[in-house]
Amino acid sequence: MAHLIRHKLSNKLTNAAHTVSNKSQAKVSGVFARLGFQAATDEEGLGFAECDDLDYDYRQGMQMDVLPGEDEGPPAEGEGEMDGDSHYQRDGTGPRPSSLKTGGSLDEDKPKITTWEAGWNVTNAIQGMFVLGLPYAILHGGYLGLFLIIFAAVVCCYTGKILIACLYEENEDGILVRVRDSYVDIANACCAPRFPALGGHVVNVAQIIELVMTCILYVVVSGNLMVNSFPGFPVSQKAWSVVATAALLPCAFLKNLKAVSKFSFLCTLAHFVINVLVIAYCLSRAREWAWEKVKFYIDVKKFPISIGIIVFSYTSQIFLPSLEGNMQRPSEFHCMMDWTHISACVLKGLFALVAYLTWADATKEVITDNLPSTIRAVVNLFLVAKALLSYPLPFFAAVEVLEKSLFQDGGRALFPDCYGPSGQLKSWGLGLRVALVVFTLLMAVFVPHFALLMGLTGSLTGAGLCFLLPSLFHLKLQWRNLLWHHVFFDVAIFVIGGICAISGFIHSVEGLIEAYRYNIHD
Amino acid sequence: MGRLGFSTTESTRLLLLSVFGVLVLSVVLAEQEGENLSGLSTNPDKAIFAVRENGTTCLMVEFAVRFLVPYDVLALNGIDLITEQAPFTLPRGAEIEGKCGSTESEIHITWKNNAYTLRIYFSTEFRDKGTEVWKISKVQFVYDTSETSHFINAYNPGKHTASTHRLSALVTPAGHSYVCAAQQTLTLISSDHQKGVTISMYDIQIQPFDIASDFIFSEPYKCITDQRERLEETLPLILGFILGLIIVITLTIYHFHLKLTAVQPQLPRDRSMYKNM
């Protein structure tokens, strides 16, 4: 009897101790919650991830029997149930690498991309057409421009990594589980207690604007390059843009990232050829290099635009969540990011420096204007090929974002699913994709001063998605795990990103006003 | 033989009378007057000039002209000569004189009290295949560098003449007027040390022969640049139409391809397959 009472007393004491500690923890959490920080880990998210796994396995087990020609083969009549059960048990162990919030489409059937293919995609995104404006940036910025190229690469690599870190949460066993699938999910998780969908909507809109503007820019650039390559033909820039769009129509049939990666690989090859051509030509004039002309001071009026060109050319964060989700070995993601950013930084820096040294003060805004006409013709053709081959990646990403947000089954979104039961694209889904391609053509043809407009939106959405939002989300979601220097980096990146965005916005607005006024007077 | 013929004095007097009569007749018959209709033009730089004969227009010229005249100025050191360029436009309030003919016409435009004169000469010719065309055969420009509104501190000011050598410009089939919105440039060699005077004309509509009715141009003939511009404008529309056709064809093919290869839903034949429904 006595030990019963002792047992009860000890239980009561331990319970009391637990409640006290829980209350104090709750108080601290409450303070943090009021401050807006999510002090507790996203255990809810973890739980959902596991539920989703079970749900997914259950459905996968069912659908494996319905579809003919799957890996497991069509089951015989009597064994149907057993196969389904064995799937259920076999795949139920262990945490899934990708949670399945989209039930309808069979994500597992999409082929995974290798690390190399993810690398080509990232290189497509960060080594874009803006490399042609880098020597002009060095003209006005000198050594500071070179330093910025390296610094921007480091910062963007870091923000890419912290963005992917936001997709993962630690479960009870200490294993990292991928609880979120996309940028939108991260934004929703950050605004979770008060505004569960606001963050997602903001990020959706920013992503769509950024991706569609990139697509339109490629159409504009290819039209412009063709007009400059063939001035004798009576074909205007608008006509060339229509021709380019006709060449880009097959992009509407893209199904998965593997096909896009092939285009990105070809694009990287074309970019490499352009770099080699220009650098080789500059090296052939190495005797005339003007080393003393690289400045230490900066031209305050013209350099801020160059800052925009340098900094916003490393924007690949939009593609990273879906790239990482589709990789066969997600653990190699960090290695891939490092190598792609190092190679981009080295190539860009070398290109900019060598081209500037060759032409010094005569360097034009687009370096191809400085080249002699034969090399310029060849480089122009490769640039057109590069622009057309770069188009599939932002187009596919835009289509994915639109489909996930607007076209889902079961009333989750406004419209029904674009894909049929067997994963095939419905014909009206194809029609919508073609409509998106035609929309990019119409915007390219009818919007004047597109480059300035792109600078305006780029400085808002680009800076937001690449610098401001990753650091903000990282601080909010991983607050408990961060060391002091991570917090310092995140805050510093947020501040620097904000400054770049504001300065880019002001200069773009000035440029647009001046161009508009010049047009009116003309 | 005094009764049969006139005396020499009388014959000379008669000769003089007849010559005088012919002259008067020709003056009465010619009656060509130049008219300045620039007030009708909407473009402030564009001038409209017409030459009328016998109550009807025989030559009409409508254009905006820009001149670029080089002249010498003494440098600051007092020894060297620098060449400066004087840009100016043809003013709307100029005086017109002209002469019309069946194969040759000319128009003389003067302003600033005869300080500047622009003379344009037109002629017709027969090309091979029997087609008749008209063209500008000569352009002459007389300018006075002592005129201070355009020439500042000219060295050795005086009148100079710039003219073309063997010009064949604005070739147009007969019976048509020449229309060109794009810029046409002519270079004239000046008597002032062979300097090159540039005359640029744009928004042109000219007809020197065969004007059917008063102040109305005949059928226009567009210059090559304008024709090309029209081609450039219609080409995107044609290409866009072709693109639309391609899109419609592709979508219909895809739609029917899906319909034909659709998987039929399986009806369960066994109770064990109910769970798949």
Side-chain angles (χ1 to χ4, degrees):
Chain A
M1 181 73 167
H3 70 264
L4 254 175
I5 299 172
R6 222 183 300 142
H7 207 63
K8 267 195 190 165
L9 264 175
S10 64
N11 274 347
K12 265 199 180 160
L13 278 171
T14 47
N15 275 347
H18 274 183
T19 46
V20 165
S21 71
N22 279 348
K23 269 192 188 158
S24 67
Q25 216 179 38
K27 270 212 180 122
V28 171
S29 302
V31 166
F32 273 138
R34 249 175 282 137
L35 284 177
F37 283 115
Q38 201 173 3
T41 54
D42 198 2
E43 287 166 349
E44 210 181 30
L46 272 177
F48 278 142
E50 286 172 7
C51 282
D52 278 339
D53 293 338
L54 291 178
D55 176 63
Y56 171 73
D57 291 334
Y58 184 61
R59 284 203 211 178
Q60 170 111 19
M62 305 282 278
Q63 276 164 333
M64 280 299 177
D65 294 332
V66 170
L67 283 177
E70 284 300 335
D71 304 328
E72 282 71 17
E77 299 264 76
E79 290 176 336
E81 213 168 44
M82 235 175 62
D83 272 340
D85 283 341
S86 66
H87 287 174
Y88 180 71
Q89 276 163 0
R90 201 193 318 140
D91 296 331
T93 54
R96 279 231 164 248
S98 69
S99 73
L100 199 60
K101 302 240 165 174
T102 68
S105 54
L106 293 170
D107 280 346
E108 289 296 305
D109 285 346
K110 285 190 187 162
K112 298 273 187 188
I113 55 174
T114 65
T115 315
W116 277 99
E117 288 174 346
W120 302 135
N121 282 325
V122 173
T123 308
N124 179 3
I126 58 181
Q127 298 207 40
M129 313 294 296
F130 294 117
V131 70
L132 299 175
L134 286 178
Y136 189 71
I138 305 286
L139 171 67
H140 290 302
Y143 282 111
L144 183 63
L146 275 177
F147 167 72
L148 257 186
I149 292 179
I150 302 173
F151 183 66
V154 168
V155 166
C156 288
C157 191
Y158 176 74
T159 49
K161 288 185 192 166
I162 61 176
L163 184 68
I164 296 302
C166 290
L167 294 172
Y168 288 86
E169 290 285 346
E170 257 189 41
N171 64 4
E172 310 91 47
D173 303 328
I175 305 174
L176 283 174
V177 174
R178 198 174 204 265
V179 301
R180 291 166 213 116
D181 205 24
S182 66
Y183 216 136
V184 171
D185 294 337
I186 302 176
N188 280 335
C190 282
C191 305
R194 270 172 281 180
F195 308 106
L198 174 68
H201 286 315
V202 167
V203 166
N204 243 349
V205 168
Q207 269 185 326
I208 291 176
I209 290 178
E210 178 81 7
L211 290 169
V212 171
M213 296 292 272
T214 310
C215 291
I216 299 172
L217 181 74
Y218 285 134
V219 177
V220 167
V221 162
S222 44
N224 199 8
L225 284 170
M226 291 301 275
V227 154
N228 288 335
S229 306
F230 301 109
F233 285 26
V235 190
S236 64
Q237 178 166 341
K238 296 187 180 178
W240 281 120
S241 302
V242 177
V243 173
T245 309
L248 290 171
L249 269 183
C251 288
F253 291 98
L254 285 170
K255 287 234 166 67
N256 49 39
L257 265 178
K258 233 177 159 58
V260 174
S261 310
K262 293 200 181 90
F263 285 118
S264 298
F265 172 62
L266 292 174
C267 166
T268 311
L269 277 183
H271 185 86
F272 189 67
V273 166
I274 294 170
N275 269 351
V276 161
L277 275 177
V278 176
I279 292 180
Y281 176 76
C282 293
L283 283 175
S284 74
R285 293 178 49 171
R287 271 163 283 141
E288 306 157 359
W289 278 2
W291 283 98
E292 67 280 359
K293 293 243 173 155
V294 187
K295 299 184 225 172
F296 279 102
Y297 58 89
I298 55 176
D299 183 345
V300 191
K301 284 218 176 94
K302 304 225 178 111
F303 191 55
I305 307 176
S306 311
I307 293 183
I309 296 178
I310 295 174
V311 162
F312 297 128
S313 65
Y314 283 102
T315 59
S316 64
Q317 278 81 351
I318 300 180
F319 309 108
L320 293 179
S322 74
L323 272 181
E324 199 260 352
N326 280 310
M327 277 172 76
Q328 283 169 0
R329 285 189 286 268
S331 50
E332 296 183 358
F333 178 78
H334 282 235
C335 179
M336 182 271 291
M337 283 292 278
D338 287 331
W339 278 109
T340 47
H341 281 78
I342 288 175
S343 64
C345 167
V346 163
L347 265 179
K348 280 191 193 186
L350 194 65
F351 182 87
L353 184 65
V354 158
Y356 172 68
L357 285 174
T358 310
W359 284 287
D361 290 330
T363 309
K364 301 223 176 86
E365 258 191 68
V366 179
I367 196 66
T368 48
D369 288 341
N370 283 108
L371 294 169
S373 49
T374 44
I375 297 192
R376 192 194 313 181
V378 175
V379 168
N380 266 350
L381 282 178
F382 274 103
L383 278 172
V384 171
K386 181 182 151 55
L388 293 178
L389 289 169
S390 298
Y391 186 93
L393 180 64
F395 177 77
F396 183 73
V399 162
E400 257 194 349
V401 167
L402 282 171
E403 280 178 359
K404 268 201 186 151
S405 56
L406 293 176
F407 297 90
Q408 285 296 329
D409 259 340
R412 262 182 285 197
L414 293 171
F415 303 107
D417 200 2
C418 281
Y419 294 90
S422 53
Q424 272 183 315
L425 186 62
K426 291 189 194 159
S427 44
W428 59 266
L430 180 69
L432 283 175
R433 288 178 176 208
V434 168
L436 183 61
V437 177
V438 171
F439 174 72
T440 58
L441 167 69
L442 291 176
M443 290 282 282
V445 162
F446 289 119
V447 173
H449 305 298
F450 187 77
L452 287 171
L453 195 63
M454 174 104 187
L456 180 66
T457 59
S459 60
L460 289 176
T461 57
L465 289 171
C466 297
F467 298 109
L468 305 178
L469 291 182
S471 42
L472 197 62
F473 294 161
H474 191 234
L475 276 175
K476 184 148 203 293
L477 288 179
Q478 307 272 329
W479 175 248
R480 289 192 132 208
N481 305 335
L482 292 182
L483 304 172
W484 69 269
H485 59 272
H486 287 143
V487 174
F488 172 69
F489 287 155
D490 284 350
V491 170
I493 290 173
F494 188 83
V495 168
I496 295 176
I499 295 174
C500 283
I502 293 174
S503 105
F505 181 73
I506 291 175
H507 281 99
S508 301
V509 168
E510 273 177 8
L512 266 174
I513 291 177
E514 200 180 303
Y516 193 57
R517 216 184 292 155
Y518 181 72
N519 250 4
I520 289 185
H521 280 180
D522 223 15
Chain B
M1 291 295 206
R3 269 178 284 155
L4 275 173
F6 295 91
S7 66
T8 41
T9 47
E10 275 195 55
S11 64
T12 48
R13 223 183 297 149
L14 210 57
L15 205 62
L16 276 170
L17 254 175
S18 57
V19 164
F20 186 63
V22 165
L23 271 173
V24 165
L25 261 175
S26 66
V27 164
V28 161
L29 273 176
E31 226 192 77
Q32 288 169 343
E33 47 182 65
E35 298 235 0
N36 187 330
L37 307 160
S38 299
L40 297 173
S41 156
T42 47
N43 186 345
D45 287 327
K46 199 162 149 184
I48 308 180
F49 306 124
V51 174
R52 304 187 75 232
E53 180 186 20
N54 289 342
T56 176
T57 321
C58 66
L59 190 157
M60 270 231 291
V61 158
E62 195 180 316
F63 53 17
V65 188
R66 259 182 264 174
F67 300 92
L68 199 62
V69 182
Y71 62 102
D72 282 331
V73 170
L74 205 57
L76 289 169
N77 61 11
I79 304 170
D80 293 326
L81 284 177
I82 309 174
T83 308
E84 293 273 346
Q85 302 267 8
F88 51 94
T89 55
L90 188 75
R92 290 168 105 187
E95 286 165 10
I96 313 298
E97 267 176 12
K99 212 185 305 179
C100 287
S102 55
T103 53
E104 293 198 347
S105 303
E106 50 190 74
I107 181 170
H108 305 250
I109 309 169
T110 49
W111 65 101
K112 287 252 170 54
N113 273 339
N114 286 348
Y116 303 100
T117 309
L118 178 67
R119 298 192 194 107
I120 309 180
Y121 300 85
F122 304 93
S123 66
T124 59
E125 73 174 17
F126 278 94
R127 287 276 158 98
D128 43 291
K129 291 183 232 158
T131 47
E132 191 187 350
V133 295
W134 63 261
K135 59 180 191 190
I136 297 183
S137 52
K138 187 169 168 194
V139 177
Q140 225 177 41
F141 181 52
V142 180
Y143 58 98
D144 193 351
T145 47
S146 56
E147 206 273 318
T148 48
S149 65
H150 295 126
F151 299 101
I152 309 163
N153 292 333
Y155 180 73
N156 271 350
K159 264 203 170 162
H160 302 286
T161 309
S163 36
T164 55
H165 296 291
R166 296 207 290 172
L167 178 70
S168 185
L170 273 60
V171 178
T172 318
H176 291 74
S177 59
Y178 180 85
V179 174
C180 204
Q183 187 168 287
Q184 303 274 323
T185 311
L186 298 169
T187 309
L188 283 60
I189 308 296
S190 171
S191 57
D192 176 15
H193 299 100
Q194 312 296 312
K195 290 205 193 350
V197 175
T198 315
I199 300 184
S200 309
M201 305 184 280
Y202 57 100
D203 275 343
I204 306 170
Q205 187 159 19
I206 298 180
Q207 186 165 11
F209 306 103
D210 312 316
I211 294 187
S213 33
D214 211 6
F215 293 123
I216 296 181
F217 280 110
S218 304
E219 196 184 312
Y221 171 80
K222 275 202 170 176
C223 58
I224 303 282
T225 328
D226 278 6
Q227 281 178 0
R228 208 178 121 140
E229 259 183 41
R230 197 160 23 132
L231 175 65
E232 271 188 24
E233 275 167 31
T234 55
L235 195 59
L237 294 171
I238 299 173
L239 286 176
F241 182 67
I242 297 177
L243 182 69
L245 273 180
I246 294 176
I247 288 174
V248 167
I249 293 174
T250 311
L251 282 176
T252 41
I253 291 180
Y254 185 77
H255 185 72
F256 286 116
H257 172 75
L258 270 190
K259 280 263 160 74
L260 289 173
T261 60
V263 174
Q264 301 300 325
Q266 294 174 359
L267 291 171
R269 271 173 262 132
D270 191 309
R271 262 191 291 167
S272 65
M273 290 190 74
Y274 277 155
K275 67 178 185 336
N276 298 334
M277 291 194 66

